[in-house]
Amino acid sequence: MLEFKTEKITDRVTRIFAFATELMYLVEGDNRAVLLDTGSGAGSLKHCVEQLTDKPVTVLITHGHVDHAMGALEFDDVYMSHKDDYIYTEHSDMQFRRDGIIKLSGGFIPAQEDLIPSAPLSHF
């Protein structure tokens, strides 16, 4: 299983490093947490987040690019503007994702079983 690296920024903010240079941020409030972006969908981000907090998590996708939105399917409460549907649709193609990960990471090739399936647009 691929393991994400994390860095505590403040008492409430944790930076999560993914495999194609993506950065995600977990922000914890008193009762809930917000995850900003879900990266390229290589590895189980949900497993990582569950190690960081036991609070309910809402995911906010900043935009539909391959390095921001492809791990969304692992989470239940996910928001992305539908104005990004067209770019998400293009970037969620599995070959486009694999090529993007390889390019962004400088050569990391994820195993097929490590790629989270892309979420349908109705998930947002």
Side-chain angles (χ1 to χ4, degrees):
M1 174 189 288
L2 296 174
E3 296 289 330
F4 291 84
K5 293 181 182 176
T6 63
E7 174 186 17
K8 199 79 164 155
I9 303 296
T10 71
D11 289 344
R12 294 185 181 255
V13 179
T14 302
R15 180 183 294 137
I16 303 170
F17 299 86
F19 312 100
T21 70
E22 314 99 310
L23 298 174
M24 289 82 62
Y25 292 87
L26 181 68
V27 182
E28 295 185 75
D30 292 334
N31 301 309
R32 299 189 58 78
V34 171
L35 177 64
L36 300 175
D37 287 337
T38 60
S40 62
S44 178
L45 182 58
K46 184 175 184 177
H47 176 76
C48 174
V49 169
E50 288 173 341
Q51 305 308 304
L52 298 171
T53 187
D54 59 357
K55 296 174 180 144
V57 175
T58 296
V59 175
L60 302 177
I61 302 294
T62 58
H63 61 285
H65 282 171
V66 68
D67 56 335
H68 290 263
M70 298 309 141
L73 189 62
E74 288 194 300
F75 299 91
D76 295 325
D77 191 20
V78 183
Y79 295 86
M80 181 183 80
S81 171
H82 285 292
K83 291 181 179 180
D84 262 22
D85 286 357
Y86 75 99
I87 196 76
Y88 176 83
T89 299
E90 177 185 341
H91 284 226
S92 64
D93 173 78
M94 192 57 74
Q95 189 59 52
F96 188 99
R97 286 178 59 194
R98 288 182 64 80
D99 292 346
I101 292 167
I102 294 166
K103 181 179 177 184
L104 290 167
S105 70
F108 170 70
I109 301 172
Q112 186 64 36
E113 62 269 14
D114 288 327
L115 291 174
I116 303 303
S118 299
L121 290 173
S122 61
H123 191 70
F124 303 107

